[in-house]
Amino acid sequence: MMNWIALEDINQLEQIKTSSTPSIIFKHSTRCPVSGMAKRNFQLEAPLLPEEVDVYYLDLIKYRDISSHIAEHWNIRHESPQVLLIQNGQCSYHASHSDIELAELVKNISVTSG
């Protein structure tokens, strides 16, 4: 089961940028059937995720300003649906639309065991 963290405040981006563990941001439009399908597929692959990775869910209809800030900060064009992997303050992987595959994203996660 996917452990979504609602991304509803721009200040949460500071936590994501400074976190020592990887974070995933899933940008989702509740009005788009392609986005709905991508979200369902993403959730089906949830067991592939290392448990220490935080997974944020951004509702683009309610929080478009946060999505714009993400696009500006990491210099990645806004798309929906879209997934970003943030590690050490950098976006190390992103995909949009039908290219969103959690199995592919997981290959890019760097988890340091301590």
Side-chain angles (χ1 to χ4, degrees):
M1 173 176 238
M2 189 64 70
N3 236 356
W4 296 110
I5 301 168
L7 181 50
E8 301 174 337
D9 186 321
I10 208 145
N11 294 323
Q12 287 174 282
L13 292 177
E14 282 309 310
Q15 295 171 334
I16 293 169
K17 290 176 200 174
T18 59
S19 177
S20 60
T21 59
S23 298
I24 293 170
I25 300 172
F26 186 89
K27 295 165 54 176
H28 173 67
S29 170
T30 55
R31 297 182 187 154
C32 172
V34 172
S35 196
M37 186 174 64
K39 183 179 176 223
R40 273 190 304 281
N41 290 341
F42 196 80
Q43 288 175 290
L44 288 172
E45 294 182 304
L48 299 174
L49 269 179
E51 63 182 62
E52 58 273 9
V53 176
D54 291 328
V55 184
Y56 291 85
Y57 169 86
L58 178 60
D59 179 336
L60 294 174
I61 306 302
K62 288 185 182 176
Y63 303 104
R64 179 60 192 252
D65 59 325
I66 297 175
S67 179
S68 297
H69 186 83
I70 290 167
E72 217 173 276
H73 180 78
W74 281 293
N75 197 25
I76 293 170
R77 189 170 74 116
H78 162 81
E79 296 196 62
S80 168
Q82 187 174 49
V83 66
L84 298 93
L85 173 61
I86 310 300
Q87 301 181 109
N88 303 314
Q90 303 297 315
C91 179
S92 59
Y93 176 88
H94 64 92
S96 304
H97 304 99
S98 59
D99 291 336
I100 296 173
E101 290 183 33
L102 189 54
E104 208 44 48
L105 182 150
V106 167
K107 291 178 189 175
N108 292 277
I109 294 175
S110 301
V111 178
T112 54
S113 54

